[in-house]
Amino acid sequence: MAAEGQNGGDDGMMRIGKRCYVSNLAWKTSWQDLKDKFRECGQVVYANVTRGDDGRSKGWGIVEFENPDEAIAAVNTLNGTDLGGRRIAVREDREDRDVKQSLEGEEGAAAAPRPARAPRGRGRGRGRGPRAPIEGEPSGFQVCVQGIPWKFTFHLF
């Protein structure tokens, strides 16, 4: 279940899953249609089209193969092909439980802790807050002064 590659552990191996995530499925696509299409690349052990509470397809599904090489072949050959009148997108399933479990079970293969997040502004989605002023550039602040006589003239100090 391992292939030589980058990232993964001290042994220089990269874990590859057996499952593919398939998106842009037509609403009428069934798990059987998915299984039939993906048999071109290997032994399909599981196929499912996700459906909502109303029974209607959500437009994506999962296909699991006998081994990782078949999953890689499916990504390479079926991504961008037609199924049910739609051009499907196929990629490795990022939620593949087999890969996660094998990584958790190995010594030293635990995920590195995430770096702390930079503090965010006020949390209202209005940008990153005020930027540092650049010398000679206006600050962007405006001041409104009322009650100034008409004879007053503006001078830079």
Side-chain angles (χ1 to χ4, degrees):
M1 273 180 61
E4 286 187 42
Q6 52 194 332
N7 309 336
D10 296 332
D11 59 358
M13 303 294 269
M14 179 175 67
R15 302 293 171 202
I16 300 172
K18 299 185 288 185
R19 293 168 56 122
C20 292
Y21 172 85
V22 186
S23 60
N24 200 32
L25 296 174
W27 286 343
K28 64 181 181 178
T29 302
S30 68
W31 67 267
Q32 189 65 54
D33 298 330
L34 205 56
K35 187 173 183 177
D36 292 343
K37 178 72 171 179
F38 280 76
R39 275 193 189 135
E40 299 172 14
C41 297
Q43 181 64 39
V44 176
V45 295
Y46 173 81
N48 186 34
V49 173
T50 305
R51 301 201 175 276
D53 293 335
D54 58 358
R56 192 169 163 187
S57 169
K58 288 187 174 184
W60 63 273
I62 299 292
V63 178
E64 184 173 344
F65 289 94
E66 187 71 31
N67 64 57
D69 294 331
E70 295 170 341
I72 292 169
V75 171
N76 292 335
T77 59
L78 297 178
N79 186 33
T81 59
D82 183 79
L83 177 62
R86 308 258 331 229
R87 189 174 177 188
I88 60 172
V90 182
R91 65 168 169 79
E92 184 180 358
D93 181 22
R94 295 181 187 139
E95 299 297 319
D96 193 336
R97 288 179 226 102
D98 293 338
V99 172
K100 287 184 176 182
Q101 288 171 355
S102 69
L103 287 177
E104 289 171 0
E106 295 177 4
E107 267 186 56
R114 286 187 174 185
R117 291 181 112 174
R120 294 184 178 207
R122 297 184 312 210
R124 295 186 188 158
R126 296 184 178 159
R128 299 178 185 201
R131 62 181 172 94
I134 300 172
E135 192 172 326
E137 183 178 291
S139 66
F141 291 107
Q142 295 180 354
V143 177
C144 180
V145 182
Q146 296 179 341
I148 298 176
W150 283 103
K151 294 179 184 177
F152 179 81
T153 57
F154 179 76
H155 298 285
L156 290 174
F157 297 103

